[in-house]
Amino acid sequence: MQVVTLSATYGTGGSVIGPAVAERLGVPFLDRAIPGAVAQDLGVTLEEALAHDDRAERGLARLLLGMTRLPSVTWGGVEAHLPPSAPLTPEEFTQRTEQVIRETARTTGGVFLGRAGAIVLADHPGALHVRLDGPLRRRVLQTAAFSGVDEREARRVVCANDRARAAYVRQFYRADPADPGLYHLVLDSTVVPVPTCVELIVTASVSLG
């Protein structure tokens, strides 16, 4: 079972490259599916889980917001009875997200986008850890072209998302997601064409597996 983690700055095509790699490897692509699974297990709505996800628009401020869960939830197969409106801490959300990532990697394999996957699965046998990045200017231009917004708005979106994703990793893992030491492969996908990126990742994953 192939396991690939993708860390992608905004505007580098992670949401395009990830599914293409997963299809080639015959494994699931896990992005929004992760907070969905966490929400189900913790007894919160998907919207509440996404507020703690590393894609939250307002970054660290939203990551640290409290949430409300149901009076009775299942945690690791054990039912826990909690008072109404018990806060769900960011740490609880992160721990459960890690469990989902590890369990999925162990049982089905997959391509995991974001959520500090390279750190969570650092010791997973045969896992390939990939970083997609590129100069800010080119990422802004790609975002503008893809989304149809002007360059100024594209820059705002790119910078806000970069801060949010970096804040998630720094807050919960005390690490810099731009550290090349976390990855086996670093690609500038603002220059290297998407099909070539997919081919390189698939080839590297198969060789490790």
Side-chain angles (χ1 to χ4, degrees), residues 81-138:
H81 295 276
L82 302 169
S85 300
L88 172 63
T89 67
E91 288 74 18
E92 288 178 297
F93 173 83
T94 303
Q95 289 170 5
R96 183 55 193 140
T97 299
E98 291 177 0
Q99 291 176 11
V100 170
I101 291 173
R102 292 192 180 104
E103 290 169 6
T104 305
R106 178 179 56 82
T107 57
T108 66
V111 175
F112 302 85
L113 178 61
R115 291 159 197 89
I119 298 174
V120 176
L121 297 177
D123 298 324
H124 187 88
L128 174 71
H129 307 301
V130 180
R131 172 76 168 176
L132 303 177
D133 206 345
L136 176 61
R137 171 67 174 165
R138 290 203 293 263

Side-chain angles (χ1 to χ4, degrees), residues 34-46 49 70 73-74 96:
I34 294 175
V38 173
Q40 182 176 10
D41 284 354
L42 292 181
V44 298
T45 68
L46 180 59
L70 300 179
V73 300
T74 299
R96 183 55 193 140

Side-chain angles (χ1 to χ4, degrees), residues 1-88:
M1 294 177 289
Q2 304 295 325
V3 172
V4 176
T5 69
L6 289 179
S7 171
T9 53
Y10 200 87
T12 55
S15 61
V16 175
I17 293 171
V21 170
E23 183 177 4
R24 287 280 302 278
L25 294 176
V27 295
F29 170 67
L30 291 102
D31 184 8
R32 289 300 186 187
I34 294 175
V38 173
Q40 182 176 10
D41 284 354
L42 292 181
V44 298
T45 68
L46 180 59
E47 288 75 18
E48 289 171 321
L50 288 175
H52 277 46
D53 185 40
D54 67 343
R55 298 250 181 139
E57 291 181 1
R58 294 175 58 189
L60 189 57
R62 286 192 65 185
L63 293 174
L64 298 179
L65 286 177
M67 297 192 300
T68 300
R69 61 184 173 193
L70 300 179
S72 179
V73 300
T74 299
W75 182 274
V78 178
E79 189 175 62
H81 295 276
L82 302 169
S85 300
L88 172 63

Side-chain angles (χ1 to χ4, degrees), residues 115-188:
R115 291 159 197 89
I119 298 174
V120 176
L121 297 177
D123 298 324
H124 187 88
L128 174 71
H129 307 301
V130 180
R131 172 76 168 176
L132 303 177
D133 206 345
L136 176 61
R137 171 67 174 165
R138 290 203 293 263
R139 293 192 289 118
V140 168
L141 291 176
Q142 287 198 166
T143 298
F146 182 77
S147 62
V149 300
D150 61 34
E151 188 173 330
R152 181 177 179 180
E153 176 63 14
R155 179 178 290 271
R156 186 195 68 77
V157 171
V158 169
C159 291
N161 276 273
D162 282 353
R163 287 194 299 269
R165 297 177 188 188
Y168 181 89
V169 178
R170 290 187 177 119
Q171 171 67 23
F172 296 113
Y173 299 100
R174 300 295 187 267
D176 182 358
D179 179 4
L182 296 173
Y183 311 103
H184 301 117
L185 186 63
V186 179
L187 295 170
D188 183 348

